[in-house]
Amino acid sequence: MLELAILGFLYDAPLHGYELRKRITALTGHVRPVAESTLYPAIKRLEKAGLLARTTQPGSVAAPRHVLILTEAGRRELRRRLAEPVQRDITDENRWFTVLAFLRHLDDAAAQAAVLRRRLAFLEEPASFFYDGDRPLGAEELEDPFRRGVLVVARATSRAELSWLRETIASLDG
């Protein structure tokens, strides 16, 4: 997901590493902080693969800054990853939010809707965090107020997302 976020943010505009790290942290940092020891090796991998390039610009008051620019191959790779997310990108909420943050970069409304339909299908499957044998338990069946809280919050969030997904898919289908 780090590579997807790098490609996504650079799709909009060239950025230097510090600014890129700030933006990624704003998107995912509350659950997955981005350390320099993680970010810069990912940048080097993408650069080596020809997906981004580095230019040097004079610094305003300090040393020159390295600015990262997405190549045309990087733009194609971002669109490919968005159009064909792996199943974990659909089912893991944090990974899903990263996909969703950049889905606008797919130019085809039908391709966008197809990705949203995969998430919709996942959310429509009955699930719970707590079970009695193989049977999922509902919030009303739990005596533990904290576990009940987990289900109440998760279901409210899912209902809101389901509503948004259906509405957005309908608008994309046009």
Side-chain angles (χ1 to χ4, degrees):
M1 288 288 61
L2 178 58
E3 288 182 2
L4 181 67
I6 292 168
L7 296 172
F9 282 119
L10 292 178
Y11 192 98
D12 290 328
L15 297 168
H16 56 85
Y18 175 75
E19 184 61 32
L20 181 60
R21 183 173 175 222
K22 277 181 22 183
R23 291 181 188 201
I24 293 170
T25 298
L27 178 64
T28 65
H30 62 286
V31 285
R32 292 191 176 106
V34 180
E36 287 183 23
S37 62
T38 307
L39 177 62
Y40 291 103
I43 289 170
K44 287 194 182 295
R45 280 192 307 275
L46 293 170
E47 192 175 15
K48 186 176 181 182
L51 303 178
L52 30 119
R54 186 184 309 248
T55 64
T56 304
Q57 295 179 345
S60 54
V61 279
R65 301 187 314 171
H66 296 286
V67 177
L68 302 166
I69 299 168
L70 199 60
T71 64
E72 189 52 43
R75 290 178 174 283
R76 283 191 307 272
E77 178 63 13
L78 173 66
R79 289 189 297 264
R80 185 197 66 75
R81 289 183 187 198
L82 292 170
E84 304 166 6
V86 297
Q87 186 62 16
R88 187 168 167 219
D89 294 347
I90 298 295
T91 60
D92 179 279
E93 185 174 84
N94 298 313
R95 293 173 72 94
W96 169 246
F97 283 154
T98 303
V99 169
L100 197 55
F102 302 109
L103 198 56
R104 73 182 187 278
H105 296 311
L106 279 181
D107 297 330
D108 181 21
Q112 292 170 333
V115 173
L116 296 182
R117 279 189 184 87
R118 288 182 58 197
R119 177 68 175 183
L120 179 65
F122 165 71
L123 289 178
E124 287 177 331
E125 288 291 318
S128 179
F129 297 109
F130 310 109
Y131 290 81
D132 181 12
D134 288 340
R135 186 178 67 80
L137 295 174
E140 63 284 348
E141 298 177 87
L142 294 171
E143 292 182 27
D144 180 334
F146 307 108
R147 285 187 169 197
R148 188 171 40 249
V150 167
L151 287 182
V152 167
V153 170
R155 292 208 171 127
T157 302
S158 289
R159 279 192 303 273
E161 187 176 355
L162 284 164
S163 175
W164 176 83
L165 283 165
R166 290 179 183 120
E167 177 184 312
T168 304
I169 291 168
S171 73
L172 289 170
D173 288 344

